[in-house]
Amino acid sequence: MKAIEIISIPVTNQQAAKVFYQQLGFEVIVEAPFGPNGSQWIQMGYPDSAVTITLVNWFPDMPAGSVRGFVIKTDDMDADIADLTAKGIQLGKVDETPWGKFLNIKDPDGNVMSLHGE
C-alpha cells in the first residue's frame, strides 16, 4: 500500500452534490453511468492532486450526510471565506487551534468538511 486514492462521499442527489463540490474548486475527472439504478460514477479532484472523491449513492450502510473529518488544505483562509460566501455557501465559524485555523462547511446532504489553514 502506498497512497489514498479515492474517498467516497455519500450523497442523495449526485448532480446537486457535483455542483456544490465544483463551487469548492473540485473538477470532474470522470462522469459515467454506473450500476443499474441510474447512478453515475462522478469522480472529482483538485488540479494536480492525487487524492480524489467520488459521489456515491449506492451503499446502504453509508447514508448521505455521514462523512465527518474530511479536511481540505487552504493557503488563504480569508480569500476562501470571501469566495465561498459570495457563492452563497453557508459557513461555520473559524476555530483557531494550536494546529491552525479550521472552518466547517456542510454539503447539501450534511457531510461536514473542514478547511484548514494557518
Side-chain angles (χ1 to χ4, degrees):
M1 290 180 264
K2 65 179 187 175
I4 295 171
E5 185 176 8
I6 302 171
I7 299 168
S8 295
I9 306 294
V11 301
T12 53
N13 182 319
Q14 290 178 297
Q15 293 302 313
K18 178 179 80 172
V19 169
F20 175 82
Y21 284 95
Q22 286 173 317
Q23 290 179 313
L24 295 182
F26 285 81
E27 297 177 352
V28 174
I29 297 168
V30 176
E31 184 168 358
F34 183 81
N37 298 325
S39 293
Q40 296 283 306
W41 180 266
I42 301 176
Q43 186 173 350
M44 305 179 78
Y46 285 116
D48 302 319
S49 177
V51 180
T52 62
I53 63 171
T54 184
L55 307 175
V56 302
N57 61 359
W58 52 81
F59 293 121
D61 57 346
M62 192 174 183
S66 62
V67 168
R68 301 289 182 274
F70 184 78
V71 180
I72 300 171
K73 176 74 174 144
T74 179
D75 289 330
D76 191 339
M77 179 83 70
D78 294 333
D80 286 334
I81 289 171
D83 178 56
L84 297 172
T85 301
K87 291 175 180 174
I89 295 175
Q90 297 286 4
L91 304 175
K93 182 183 102 169
V94 175
D95 185 20
E96 297 199 29
T97 74
W99 309 277
K101 296 178 184 178
F102 290 87
L103 172 68
N104 284 346
I105 303 170
K106 286 186 181 180
D107 77 4
D109 289 293
N111 294 303
V112 179
M113 65 222 62
S114 294
L115 289 185
H116 172 238
E118 303 300 317

